[in-house]
């Protein structure tokens, strides 16, 4: 996860108040958007290109 060093993580706006089961997103690094489980901040993270992330978010918002 060296490429994520310096990432600024934030709680997803879609994560509700559900007892800590949240998704965190880091979109502060050039060319990468990372996603992780807030309960395991040192665990694995998924990484996406900004284009793929935007497509995912748009599809999710539209209900696809």
């Amino acid at each position: 996860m060296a490429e994520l060093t310096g990432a600024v993580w934030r709680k997803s706006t879609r994560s509700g108040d559900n007892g800590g089961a949240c998704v965190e997103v880091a979109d502060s690094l050039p060319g990468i958007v990372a996603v992780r489980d807030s309960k395991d901040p040192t665990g694995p993270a998924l990484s996406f290109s900004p284009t793929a992330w935007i497509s995912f978010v748009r599809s999710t918002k539209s209900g696809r």
Side-chain angles (χ1 to χ4, degrees), residues 3-56:
E3 72 273 2
L4 299 180
T5 301
V8 177
W9 295 92
R10 62 179 171 79
K11 182 178 167 184
S12 169
T13 57
R14 296 291 183 185
S15 291
D17 185 23
N18 52 10
C22 301
V23 173
E24 292 181 321
V25 178
D27 55 5
S28 57
L29 300 171
I32 191 169
V33 176
V35 180
R36 71 181 182 187
D37 182 347
S38 65
K39 294 185 304 301
D40 190 10
T42 60
L46 299 173
S47 60
F48 302 89
S49 72
T51 303
W53 181 251
I54 289 168
S55 177
F56 170 76

